[in-house]
């Protein structure tokens, strides 16, 4: 039995790495892809995890498989293909460390995952199944993802969903919203940004937007707010918890690290138990996840920046919360 299984994109993030002697920008090869980042976070904290996806049978794809293997993430349902190359993303950072992306994915291997390549037994043996909306941009990965989610849900797994909006990967904003909303129909836990909340619900007020997601079926809504921390809504309870005051150099992967830490806090819990969490229990999980997310911003890259449990506890003991005035 696995604590968390994730399905979706596994790719190379080329992240800024300074300037070469000739003045040319340098980029470092880092393993990435939101679902893989989430699993890396959970795995580093001690959860038993497995990944379902597809990469090219090329140097990049083999590097990614080796990376997951080294993290203790089960990769027996990671498919390597000769048909296309591994997906690539170039990450661009502004002066505050916020990022934007350029993708090389038309197609990339991740969007070619097929239903018949899924290990259905694996999907029936997980406590949490996590997926994101970037698996829904193209067929056959879209159908494979929905098949995986339904299989896990039927077996009693808690379904976690990240409606992750990357405009360059969609044919139109309208198609993106349509498919992102389709994923909500399966989700028990939804983690998203303020911008994605407004995109899916038309609401800029956190409580109003979260209530719309609850109407769509979500039990727990989590909205990451950057320096302001994280918002949650469970039933009729809601709050914003501050993050930690660390020196930020790269925000890439911080939201995924937060999600992975939430999964770690929820491991072993059924959907009924999740819905019955006390406010103290839930806020303890979210504060821990805020510490994990903040630590990731202090290092470059996504998966390489994921902290260990002792790092997180040290942060919670020694680093003050960051209080941001409205």
């Amino acid at each position: 039995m696995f604590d968390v299984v994730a399905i979706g994109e596994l790719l190379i993030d080329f992240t800024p790495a300074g300037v070469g002697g000739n003045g040319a920008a340098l980029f470092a090869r880092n393993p990435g892809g939101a679902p893989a980042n989430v699993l890396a976070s959970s795995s580093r904290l001690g959860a038993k995890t497995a990944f379902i996806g597809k990469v090219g049978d090329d140097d990049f794809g083999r590097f990614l498989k080796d990376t997951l293997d080294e993290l203790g993430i089960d990769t027996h349902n990671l498919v390597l293909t000769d048909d296309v190359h591994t997906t690539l993303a170039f990450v661009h950072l502004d002066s505050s460390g916020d990022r934007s992306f350029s993708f090389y994915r038309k197609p990339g291997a991740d969007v070619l995952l097929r239903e018949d390549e899924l290990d259905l037994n694996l999907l029936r043996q997980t406590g949490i199944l996590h997926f994101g909306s970037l698996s829904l941009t193209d067929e056959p990965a879209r159908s494979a993802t929905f098949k995986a989610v339904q299989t896990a849900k039927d077996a009693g797994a808690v379904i976690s969903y990240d409606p992750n909006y990357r405009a360059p990967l969609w044919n139109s904003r309208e198609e993106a919203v349509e498919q992102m909303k389709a994923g909500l129909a399966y989700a028990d836990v939804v983690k998203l940004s303020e911008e994605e909340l407004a995109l899916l619900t038309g609401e800029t007020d956190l409580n109003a937007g979260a209530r719309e997601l609850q109407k769509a079926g979500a039990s727990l809504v989590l909205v990451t707010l950057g320096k302001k921390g994280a918002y949650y809504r469970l039933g009729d309870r809601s709050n914003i918890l501050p993050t930690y005051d660390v020196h930020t150099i790269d925000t890439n992967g911080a939201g995924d690290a937060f999600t992975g830490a939430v999964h770690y806090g929820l491991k072993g819990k059924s959907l009924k138990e999740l819905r019955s969490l006390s406010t103290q229990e839930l806020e303890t999980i979210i504060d821990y996840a805020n510490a994990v997310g903040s630590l990731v911003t202090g290092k470059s890259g996504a998966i390489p920046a994921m902290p260990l449990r002792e790092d997180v506890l040290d942060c919670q003991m020694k680093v003050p919360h960051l209080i941001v005035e409205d």
Side-chain angles (χ1 to χ4, degrees), residues 1 24 28 35 48 53 70 77 80-81 86 139 143 176 189 194 225 245 247 253 274 292-293 304 310 314 320 326:
M1 187 75 177
K48 185 179 181 182
E70 289 169 6
N77 204 185
L80 277 71
T81 178
T86 301
E139 292 289 2
S143 294
V189 178
E194 287 182 276
L225 307 172
D245 192 2
H247 176 62
L274 184 159
V292 173
E310 51 263 38
D314 192 57
D326 290 334

Side-chain angles (χ1 to χ4, degrees), residues 131 146 161 163 179-188 190 192 200-201 212-213 216-218:
F131 75 109
F146 284 133
Y161 176 45
Q179 292 300 327
M180 289 165 73
K181 285 185 174 179
L184 291 173
Y186 300 85
D188 303 309
V190 178
L192 68 177
L200 290 181
T201 69
E212 289 301 310
L213 296 181

Side-chain angles (χ1 to χ4, degrees), residues 263-297:
H263 291 165
Y264 176 70
L266 294 176
K267 70 185 180 72
K269 291 181 169 58
S270 66
L271 180 57
K272 181 179 179 180
E273 290 170 326
L274 184 159
R275 291 169 174 164
S276 301
L277 286 171
S278 69
T279 298
Q280 181 178 354
E281 288 172 324
L282 179 58
E283 293 195 353
T284 296
I285 291 171
I286 294 173
D287 182 70
Y288 188 86
N290 274 339
V292 173
S294 68
L295 285 172
V296 169
T297 71

Side-chain angles (χ1 to χ4, degrees), residues 62 64-76 78:
R62 291 186 289 272
L64 290 169
K65 182 182 185 305
D66 289 344
T67 298
L68 297 193
D69 288 337
E70 289 169 6
L71 285 166
I73 298 170
D74 186 284
T75 58
H76 83 264
L78 174 62

Side-chain angles (χ1 to χ4, degrees), residues 78-122:
L78 174 62
V79 180
L80 277 71
T81 178
D82 290 321
D83 295 337
V84 294
H85 292 301
T86 301
T87 298
L88 309 179
F90 282 81
V91 183
H92 311 282
L93 302 176
D94 65 18
S95 58
S96 63
D98 287 328
R99 75 273 191 271
S100 58
F101 298 87
S102 299
F103 291 94
Y104 292 79
R105 190 197 190 217
K106 291 193 177 289
D110 66 292
V111 299
L112 297 184
L113 181 69
R114 304 188 310 270
E115 287 187 51
D116 63 356
E117 293 174 316
L118 300 175
D119 180 348
L120 300 183
N121 287 327
L122 172 61

